[in-house]
Amino acid sequence: MNKLLIALSLAATVALVGCNKDKAPETGATTGEHLENAATQAGEDVKNATADAANATATAVDNAADSAVQAADNAAAHAENAAAHATDAAKNATAATAAAVEQGAADVKEKAQQ
């Protein structure tokens, strides 16, 4: 965008200088040629700026896709870890329940023998 503004400013300056009929342009080019060159340069600048913007957009999309994949991988790893902890907790709870039942049965048997 800055290049476009510079090119347009240059074109306006050339047009204003070209309006001075007392002197010929230093390059020997007519005002029309200067304007045509400025317009050509502005077109090239716009084309380059568009290509740069397209490349930046493609890079941003690639980075976003990579980040999404990493987030999905992290979420899957955390879910797997949580499942492993849940399994361990269920095993521990089952073992504690079985131990309590066995202790209760032992207490009942001991009282029955007295």
Side-chain angles (χ1 to χ4, degrees):
M1 185 56 119
N2 289 338
K3 290 180 181 181
L4 180 60
L5 291 174
I6 291 170
L8 291 175
S9 297
L10 177 63
T13 302
V14 169
L16 290 173
V17 170
C19 290
N20 184 356
K21 301 292 182 187
D22 296 338
K23 296 181 183 177
E26 292 178 19
T27 62
T30 64
T31 302
E33 289 171 334
H34 281 292
L35 289 175
E36 183 178 333
N37 290 340
T40 300
Q41 184 61 48
E44 289 298 315
D45 290 345
V46 168
K47 186 170 92 175
N48 290 339
T50 301
D52 290 345
N55 288 336
T57 301
T59 300
V61 168
D62 288 344
N63 290 342
D66 290 344
S67 294
V69 168
Q70 284 181 339
D73 288 346
N74 288 342
H78 288 300
E80 186 176 330
N81 193 18
H85 286 295
T87 301
D88 288 344
K91 286 179 185 177
N92 291 340
T94 302
T97 302
V101 168
E102 286 180 11
Q103 184 62 45
D107 290 345
V108 168
K109 182 178 179 183
E110 182 181 326
K111 287 188 180 183
Q113 288 178 354
Q114 290 179 354

